[in-house]
Amino acid sequence: MIVDLPDTTTSRISKELVKLREEGGAVALGRVLTLIIATAPGAEEEAIEAANDASREHPMRVIVVATEPGTEDAAVEPRLDAEIRVGGDAGASEVIVLRASGDAARDEESLITGLLLPDAPVVTWWPGIAPAVPGEAPLGRFAQRRITDASAQPDPQAALLTLQQNYTPGDADFAWTRLTLWRAQLAAVLDQPPYAPVTRVHVTGAIDSPSTTLLAAWLQMQLGAVTDYVLTPVDDGSPGIHGVVLERPTGPIELIRDVPGVATLRQPGQPVHDVALPRRSLRDCLADELRRLDPDELYGEVITNGLQQLGGAESEGADA
């Protein structure tokens, strides 16, 4: 069910939530957190769908703040339009969509304060363009976790450097979350004999894949081996990470993803294996990040020290 509240106020929205709870049985009991989604008008539906899917694992209240840059200008008529989604339109959550303009869009923090679940953690997610310093943004200051997506920025590789310079404990980025399957597979391979040291690491991926850079930084930190990574033009092959080669005295380990969703694993003295390595969906990444509300210390170490120690990328056919 969707309830439209045109030209409304936060107080009216709160009263409508209580009314829905009493009349329709929609309850806030059992909600484990408040998820704030900060996005632009017209781009909210994909994020809401991902949040609804993730809510089946993490029941929550979702507050979507959709404001167009520039609409907070004093010359624009102040207005707050809202809609409340419950039941089948909200998964295991309740969704509040706020579309503000004029003075109503100036103070985003005050806009949502009265709608937060009491005594529940707050997570803020920017699925699109993110602030340079998430920890100091109006919607990020009071959040325990702040989630961004470097791949959604105009220059994903430059976005990583911005994240490095402005990192605050509690920050997270989907470029790191998308590495979970790759990290697990590489760790499993190195956990098998022979236990020869890795002498050199080669990582390849698309230039618009910040995950490729983070994977190279993580491998260099964990293995202490010289690491180089190559970034290829987007139109030169598949997106995302292309592959990893770990050189050892006993022979190289190759994990190459030539086919979307499937990687080929080659190891000395063993049969060739096909490994499922699909690109993770927004729903999977969001659900993964919501499983922990404390700072991800490993991500913090990689985004700061790991990137700093990593050398520059090589490029094929384009400047990195």
Side-chain angles (χ1 to χ4, degrees):
M1 179 173 64
I2 300 178
V3 178
D4 288 315
L5 298 172
D7 197 9
T8 187
T9 63
T10 301
S11 176
R12 292 175 192 164
I13 297 170
S14 298
K15 291 178 181 178
E16 186 65 28
L17 280 170
V18 173
K19 180 181 176 183
L20 289 172
R21 192 175 306 135
E22 293 175 347
E23 295 180 356
V27 298
L29 297 177
R31 305 285 189 241
V32 297
L33 59 91
T34 300
L35 174 66
I36 300 170
I37 302 176
T39 185
E44 60 266 41
E45 292 302 328
E46 184 180 12
I48 291 174
E49 182 180 353
N52 287 346
D53 287 344
S55 71
R56 292 174 171 83
E57 184 177 341
H58 311 280
M60 55 190 166
R61 172 174 290 178
V62 179
I63 303 174
V64 182
V65 181
T67 57
E68 191 74 46
T71 57
E72 68 276 6
D73 192 286
V76 179
E77 180 184 358
R79 183 183 176 93
L80 174 62
D81 296 323
E83 63 181 53
I84 301 173
R85 306 181 186 184
V86 295
D89 293 293
S93 64
E94 50 193 9
V95 179
I96 305 166
V97 183
L98 306 176
R99 299 182 177 92
S101 59
D103 284 341
R106 283 190 174 186
D107 191 349
E108 294 178 320
E109 186 174 347
S110 297
L111 199 63
I112 56 92
T113 299
L115 302 174
L116 301 176
L117 289 174
D119 303 320
V122 177
V123 178
T124 300
W125 172 32
W126 292 270
I129 302 299
V133 189
E136 296 180 4
L139 295 179
R141 282 194 290 261
F142 54 86
Q144 280 75 24
R145 297 296 303 278
R146 296 165 296 276
I147 305 172
T148 55
D149 191 350
S151 65
Q153 310 311 305
D155 186 340
Q157 299 297 331
L160 282 183
L161 297 180
T162 301
L163 291 173
Q164 175 195 38
Q165 296 164 0
N166 301 315
Y167 173 76
T168 303
D171 290 354
D173 194 273
F174 280 167
W176 174 251
T177 319
R178 294 187 181 100
L179 290 179
T180 300
L181 299 180
W182 282 87
R183 291 168 51 214
Q185 184 60 49
L186 291 169
V189 169
L190 292 174
D191 202 31
Q192 302 172 6
Y195 303 107
V198 175
T199 57
R200 195 173 187 92
V201 177
H202 306 275
V203 181
T204 58
I207 195 169
D208 64 345
S209 169
S211 297
T212 300
T213 307
L214 288 180
L215 180 58
W218 175 71
L219 286 169
Q220 180 171 272
M221 280 183 53
Q222 298 299 315
L223 301 176
V226 176
T227 301
D228 58 67
Y229 63 109
V230 176
L231 300 176
T232 62
V234 178
D235 56 359
D236 196 36
S238 60
I241 302 169
H242 297 165
V244 176
V245 177
L246 307 177
E247 294 185 5
R248 300 196 296 184
T250 54
I253 297 172
E254 300 180 0
L255 185 62
I256 308 298
R257 185 167 63 183
D258 291 326
V259 179
V262 180
T264 302
L265 175 62
R266 296 182 176 87
Q267 304 177 76
Q270 295 193 28
V272 176
H273 296 284
D274 287 335
V275 180
L277 280 178
R279 299 198 74 193
R280 306 190 75 194
S281 66
L282 270 183
R283 182 265 176 216
D284 290 339
C285 290
L286 181 60
D288 199 352
E289 285 297 338
L290 294 180
R291 290 190 184 107
R292 60 180 304 160
L293 296 176
D294 57 319
D296 187 337
E297 295 179 356
L298 181 56
Y299 166 73
E301 186 71 15
V302 171
I303 197 68
T304 53
N305 296 336
L307 282 183
Q308 189 173 12
Q309 297 169 11
L310 189 66
E314 299 177 21
S315 61
E316 290 184 359
D319 293 335

